[in-house]
Amino acid sequence: MRQLYEQTAPDATKKRFYARCPICGKRRGAFEPSLLLESAAGLKALESGLAGGVRQAAYDKSRLKAASRLARFFNRCRRCGLWVCDDCFDIESGGCCLKCRATQALNPKNENDN
């Protein structure tokens, strides 16, 4: 879940958090707007962790809540741990992202080799 939390970022224009698929770049927004995302200067301080105090704690809590809501729209690759969108996830290859599936296709493991 930490990886998805790190993929979650604020959108200052829509005043909500979103996550982006690291493979295709598709964005998905958390549907709960955050009142903390009001000004660009304040947002930069919050993103960098320099706002401090109650505002910073509220921002971190909102971001975590958004990441948990976004988790239902993303799938965690069992090999590399990336959270990717449905289009970039292959359940048939053992729950891998497309990058890991491609790597697996290039370097197939032969179970008879010891």
Side-chain angles (χ1 to χ4, degrees):
M1 187 68 166
R2 181 165 177 76
Q3 177 71 31
L4 184 59
Y5 176 81
E6 291 173 4
Q7 284 175 230
T8 305
D11 183 342
T13 57
K14 294 184 180 179
K15 296 185 178 165
R16 65 181 184 177
F17 290 96
Y18 70 92
R20 185 182 303 272
C21 175
I23 295 177
C24 70
K26 188 184 297 182
R27 280 175 52 147
R28 187 72 187 209
F31 301 108
E32 189 162 322
S34 175
L35 298 176
L36 297 167
L37 307 177
E38 292 176 4
S39 70
L43 179 58
K44 286 184 182 187
L46 289 166
E47 282 183 286
S48 64
L50 299 175
V54 175
R55 282 193 61 158
Q56 187 67 50
Y59 172 82
D60 294 341
K61 187 176 179 180
S62 293
R63 185 174 171 194
L64 184 60
K65 186 177 181 181
S68 10
R69 289 188 178 195
L70 288 165
R72 65 183 180 166
F73 300 109
F74 289 85
N75 305 286
R76 185 175 182 273
C77 176
R78 291 188 176 164
R79 289 181 179 240
C80 67
L82 286 178
W83 286 80
V84 297
C85 69
D86 288 340
D87 295 337
C88 297
F89 187 74
D90 186 14
I91 192 74
E92 293 174 3
S93 67
C96 297
C97 68
L98 295 182
K99 282 185 179 181
C100 289
R101 186 184 75 181
T103 304
Q104 184 179 12
L106 291 174
N107 302 316
K109 290 184 180 179
N110 188 349
E111 293 179 11
N112 296 328
D113 291 344
N114 290 328

